[in-house]
């Protein structure tokens, strides 16, 4: 699996963990350990997203920095089979 | 909610009511690949479907 697919998959797994922790924290809002896990994986996911967006293409508008060129439109479109 | 039903006096609970034990955070899978495929990060919720009734 190429590095790009692996990074995309890792972002997806980190996002999954955050959703799971959020579901738990919904009913246990004061659980300190769960909050720490959430902050930990949130930082990791943000970092991976930033790295992916700089290396390949911005995953969403928030991650788009148009320092030199407008790269938002450059992302492959879902039906082009790139994001499989 | 947890204070009312600590589970010790379960025989005095009103009948015909459903009770779900309160989940405590005991940690999560650190192998995210395994958690991703299991569909949960909580080992205690990772109950494989065995085609029979409840799995502890």
């Amino acid at each position: 699996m190429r590095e790009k697919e692996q990074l995309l998959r890792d972002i997806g797994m980190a996002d999954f963990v955050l959703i799971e922790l959020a579901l738990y924290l919904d009913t246990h809002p004061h659980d300190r350990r769960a909050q720490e896990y959430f902050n930990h994986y949130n930082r990791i996911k943000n970092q991976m997203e930033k790295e992916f967006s700089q290396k390949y293409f911005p995953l969403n508008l928030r991650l788009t920095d148009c320092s030199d060129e407008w790269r938002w439109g450059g992302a492959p479109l879902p039906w082009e089979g790139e994001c499989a | 909610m947890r204070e009312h039903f600590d589970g010790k006096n379960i025989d005095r609970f009103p009948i015909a009511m459903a009770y779900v034990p309160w989940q405590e955070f005991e940690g999560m899978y650190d192998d995210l690949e395994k958690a991703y495929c299991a569909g949960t990060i909580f080992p205690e919720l990772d109950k494989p479907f065995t085609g029979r009734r409840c799995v502890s």
Side-chain angles (χ1 to χ4, degrees):
Chain A
M1 188 189 280
R2 286 180 314 158
E3 205 228 332
K4 182 164 114 175
E5 273 75 27
Q6 187 53 51
L7 187 49
L8 203 56
R9 185 174 166 76
D10 291 348
I11 291 169
M13 282 201 281
D15 196 51
F16 170 70
V17 170
L18 290 174
I19 290 168
E20 284 277 289
L21 286 166
L23 286 171
Y24 178 82
L25 284 162
D26 286 346
T27 48
H28 303 68
H30 308 298
D31 189 310
R32 173 113 330 267
R33 272 186 70 204
Q35 288 167 359
E36 278 155 21
Y37 272 99
F38 186 89
N39 293 333
H40 171 69
Y41 282 107
N42 205 19
R43 271 194 305 274
I44 289 177
K45 183 192 151 198
N46 289 335
Q47 194 194 334
M48 287 195 293
E49 271 185 336
K50 219 172 262 147
E51 184 194 338
F52 186 95
S53 297
Q54 274 148 11
K55 239 189 226 168
Y56 304 106
F57 53 81
L59 285 170
N60 54 46
L61 211 48
R62 178 176 51 83
L63 293 163
T64 308
D65 64 338
C66 45
S67 40
D68 43 5
E69 48 160 347
W70 179 246
R71 297 175 57 233
W72 172 240
L77 300 171
W79 51 83
E80 287 174 345
E82 263 284 325
C83 321
Chain B
M1 186 167 75
R2 203 149 59 99
E3 314 73 41
H4 311 298
F5 298 107
D6 57 14
K8 290 188 191 59
N9 46 9
I10 198 158
D11 47 4
R12 279 194 281 114
F13 285 12
I15 59 165
M17 294 289 167
Y19 302 92
V20 177
W22 196 252
Q23 180 182 1
E24 302 288 344
F25 191 88
E26 272 130 26
M28 54 176 270
Y29 280 131
D30 35 22
D31 173 358
L32 297 193
E33 186 77 33
K34 177 177 165 112
Y36 201 53
C37 299
T40 180
I41 59 171
F42 299 105
E44 63 269 23
L45 295 183
D46 185 1
K47 297 185 189 308
F49 176 69
T50 58
R52 286 183 292 105
R53 282 198 312 279
C54 47
V55 177
S56 63

